[in-house]
Amino acid sequence: MNHLFLKNIPMFSELKDDILEKIIALMQKRTYRKNNVILMEEDAGDTLFFLNKGSVKITRLSDDGREVILSILGDGDFFGEMSIFDGESRSANVIALEDTEVFILKRGDFLDLLEKHPKIAINLLQELARRLRKSDQQIEGLSLSDAENRIAMSIIRLAEDLGVIKMGQVVIENLPYQQDIANMAGTSRETVSRMLNLLQRKGLIQKKGRKLIITNYEDFQKQFG
Ligand code: CMP
């Protein structure tokens, strides 16, 4: 396996090549097809996952059996760290949104790396702080705004997690299903469909198959963020 892919993972991006080579030697590659369950809530677990290709949704089931999407992660992101640190079972399900390739690292090997390379720990803490901020925003958004604003806010989250920004436009190549967006925003698929059509008619977004373009991201954020 080539260690260069580790350079795309922010947690490892500043490490020298010889260290990256040692890290990649500790990792195992796994692939999942679209919709495969990678981790199940309540399972025991002591491995950390790095996303090399693809994207995943982090979900839990509500009391009445609806799927709630806590987050969507893409290239270079990691997951599975919570059980590694607190020794509890997996806190959520992780499901592939498309064909996905991951590299996994065992708990003991990861803890050794953190001790030897404090930079990895600092990068990890930075990302965890970012995730907590996003969750705080999500809690605020879910409790304050109406369904249409919540959908727009979910689109902003998707833009941040999966989109590529170019000349003021954000392109999301593989937009999750409308049902997934509904599960992020706590609303129905029909409301998502209606809202996407409305945003399209207003010229704020363009949809072409699975691709979604936010025409002017700054304006979109001003209006809904
Ligand atoms: P773990 O609990 O081991 O397994 C499920 C993983 O989902 C968890 O580690 C985190 O990596 C990830 N996860 C759980 N909640 C969130 C969240 N709110 N945002 C991003 N990732 C999360």
Side-chain angles (χ1 to χ4, degrees):
M1 282 191 299
N2 193 317
H3 69 279
L4 288 179
F5 110 88
L6 291 178
K7 289 193 192 278
N8 298 328
I9 296 182
M11 204 192 295
F12 299 127
S13 58
E14 288 138 282
L15 297 176
K16 298 212 177 74
D17 280 9
D18 57 328
I19 299 167
L20 295 180
E21 275 170 25
K22 284 190 189 136
I23 298 176
I24 198 80
L26 301 168
M27 290 179 152
Q28 255 184 308
K29 183 165 102 173
R30 281 199 197 152
T31 53
Y32 297 88
R33 305 303 304 266
K34 183 174 175 164
N35 294 329
N36 276 178
V37 176
I38 303 175
L39 291 181
M40 284 245 287
E41 188 180 350
E42 304 294 347
D43 278 359
D46 60 356
T47 41
L48 180 65
F49 293 69
F50 295 92
L51 262 166
N52 184 32
K53 277 188 216 126
S55 57
V56 300
K57 57 180 176 179
I58 312 283
T59 74
R60 289 178 82 151
L61 285 186
S62 67
D63 286 347
D64 55 358
R66 278 176 307 119
E67 178 185 77
V68 177
I69 298 187
L70 303 174
S71 188
I72 299 217
L73 303 177
D75 285 2
D77 278 326
F78 60 86
F79 56 89
E81 79 294 347
M82 290 170 66
S83 296
I84 284 192
F85 289 131
D86 67 10
E88 304 263 339
S89 54
R90 298 296 187 190
S91 60
N93 304 298
V94 181
I95 298 165
L97 282 173
E98 55 195 299
D99 290 352
T100 290
E101 184 178 284
V102 299
F103 285 82
I104 62 172
L105 193 57
K106 291 201 198 85
R107 177 173 188 274
D109 289 336
F110 184 58
L111 295 181
D112 277 351
L113 284 175
L114 290 181
E115 282 191 21
K116 286 196 196 116
H117 307 287
K119 192 73 198 140
I120 300 181
I122 293 170
N123 291 342
L124 169 76
L125 289 170
Q126 237 170 33
E127 175 58 22
L128 293 180
R130 219 174 281 139
R131 287 187 189 177
L132 188 55
R133 265 180 208 277
K134 276 193 192 163
S135 297
D136 288 351
Q137 274 171 359
Q138 199 178 5
I139 291 169
E140 185 193 11
L142 286 174
S143 61
L144 292 182
S145 47
D146 59 28
E148 297 195 335
N149 269 304
R150 296 204 302 271
I151 293 166
M153 283 170 55
S154 300
I155 292 173
I156 291 176
R157 287 196 69 192
L158 288 170
E160 280 168 13
D161 293 341
L162 302 178
V164 176
I165 189 155
K166 229 189 270 163
M167 314 224 294
Q169 289 196 334
V170 170
V171 179
I172 303 170
E173 282 294 342
N174 262 318
L175 188 72
Y177 294 128
Q178 291 185 358
Q179 184 63 57
D180 285 326
I181 300 173
N183 294 349
M184 288 176 82
T187 186
S188 66
R189 196 199 60 74
E190 292 72 19
T191 310
V192 171
S193 169
R194 203 165 15 88
M195 181 69 175
L196 290 178
N197 286 333
L198 180 73
L199 291 171
Q200 193 151 226
R201 278 202 305 279
K202 286 187 178 170
L204 295 172
I205 62 168
Q206 295 162 44
K207 255 185 110 247
K208 295 175 193 151
R210 299 287 315 280
K211 184 163 159 178
L212 180 115
I213 300 171
I214 303 177
T215 323
N216 183 330
Y217 191 47
E218 209 180 316
D219 279 358
F220 195 90
Q221 280 175 310
K222 268 193 206 131
Q223 199 162 330
F224 301 107

